[in-house]
Amino acid sequence: MEQEFDAKLKIQNNNSANNTQRSKSFAFRAPQENFTIQDFELGKIYGVGSYSKVVRAKKKDTSNVYALKIMDKKFITKENKTAYVKLERIVLDQLDHPGVVRLFFTFQDSFSLYMALESCEGGELFDQITRKGRLSEDEARFYAAEVVDALEYIHSMGLIHRDIKPENLLLTSDGHFKIADFGSVKPMEDSRITVLPNAASDDKACTFVGTAAYVPPEVLNSSPATFGNDLWALGCTLYQMLSGTSPFKDASEWLMFQRIIARDIRFPNYFSNEARDLIDQLLDIDPSRRPGAGPDGYASLKNHPFFSGIDWENLRTQTPPRLAMEPKAPSTHSSGDEQDPSWNPSHIGDGSVRPNEGNGGAPSTSEAGSVTRLASIDSFDSKWKQFLDPGESVLMISMVKKIQKLTNKKVQLILTNKPKLIYVDPSKLVVKGNIIWSDNPNDLSIQVTSPSQFKICTPKKVMLFEDAKNRAQHWKKAIEALQNR
């Protein structure tokens, strides 16, 4: 797919001699390398998307650590996402700002495309909010200022991100912000980014993209995308920093959309007047009136009283707020690069071993190879295979507590690609519950109540589970990714 992309790029450049943006010698800053997945030690999972996973990966020969985005070629082709992937690659290659994650190189194999991105060891803003409950106003001010700084650059390049949210705002190990996930990016007509016709996000500027809780009303009304879309999402994100929850959160997406359209905002009484005023302006129904979208550009946003005291020129050299670090679960491993036991690598890459490495007699193809790799997952051994159909693979598996009013029972919770969601009695090896699958979030939804606890909600009942290894958010992302596949 990527060779085809490069070929089309050259053809397009040669056919566009009059277009100053497209030179005949377009060269990627981030090269396509001849690596394989075997060149990396894969660690914990950073995030799960509809057709991708992002995993911590250490290059074996250099020990350099990356956030490796692994994309399923078959799904991309089936769902007509090729143009989105190409656009994300082109955009990330050309962006150069300390507030935007950097793309270092790409490679591919028979099954997957890989993008080696800058690793942000501080995690997501969402994690910071979850661990702290809510941020102080000083913390929120600094973080919001760094997002504003990066957004101003992105907009100056003629790009709309279209999926600004706490999960896509990543923190470096020293606590500075970077915007990630440009899979929904939309170039404007006067964009300074080289964009080709075969790499476009969509045919219509008003196509619905993004995440429900942060979608502005004009998108719900099918209006064309503008820079104001990102500024609305910034307002929602600042509200969430200060309160711990998104401003339009409700029991279902439909109810959430009704609140967004009605602009039903309820401010906690502990919000300062400055914070309330800025959020109120960012959540203006008219996108052109939002600070940062008007004729004076970002000046009105950066000069707002909420940002009083921010040194915009030296923002990235300032000392950021102290991070709330992830609790360390007890482990028998000493390596910081151990594989996240909730992640199934069996579908990643072609699983091949290079001829000069051998396989030590272990099966490496077909079902046997898959089971060999699955055996490395926490709690997964041959006894769980009996609950899988032929060709079915595990996406998430964990020993969890099923919390009830009178008793708490340990069960093995298993999510498969069928999709299937079951929990098994680990001592009797019998299925205790088969949660009826639905792609409709009204019939199956996940609510994270803490890093370790999450609710699986169906029309008939609500089940509360506790994952001792704090993977509640991973379960939510994995299940929602399957619903959006």
Side-chain angles (χ1 to χ4, degrees), residues 151 155 160-164 226-234:
L151 265 183
H155 289 175
I160 312 171
H161 185 278
R162 298 201 295 180
D163 202 14
I164 296 295
T226 68
F227 296 135
N229 298 169
D230 289 341
L231 296 167
W232 173 281
L234 171 65

Side-chain angles (χ1 to χ4, degrees), residues 13 118 120 161 166 174 179 202 250 253 257 280 324 329 340 397 415:
N13 286 339
E118 186 175 1
C120 296
H161 185 278
D174 58 359
I179 295 179
D202 50 56
D250 217 306
E253 276 194 5
F257 291 156
D280 191 52
D340 187 321
I397 183 168
L415 174 67

Side-chain angles (χ1 to χ4, degrees), residues 1-2 30-40 42 52-55 57 67-73 76 85 89 103-117 343 345-352:
M1 180 180 292
E2 200 155 336
Q32 181 185 356
E33 301 285 8
N34 191 29
F35 298 148
T36 77
I37 196 64
Q38 306 298 332
D39 294 322
F40 298 84
L42 302 182
S52 65
K53 292 180 192 269
V54 180
V55 181
L68 193 63
K69 185 168 185 175
I70 307 171
M71 296 166 281
D72 187 325
K73 280 185 175 180
I76 291 168
V85 174
R89 194 253 194 268
L103 174 66
F104 289 100
F105 55 83
T106 64
F107 62 100
Q108 63 177 308
D109 57 32
S110 303
F111 298 102
S112 303
L113 295 171
Y114 303 86
M115 290 199 300
L117 300 159
W343 176 53
S346 65
H347 74 290
I348 299 300
D350 55 17
S352 62

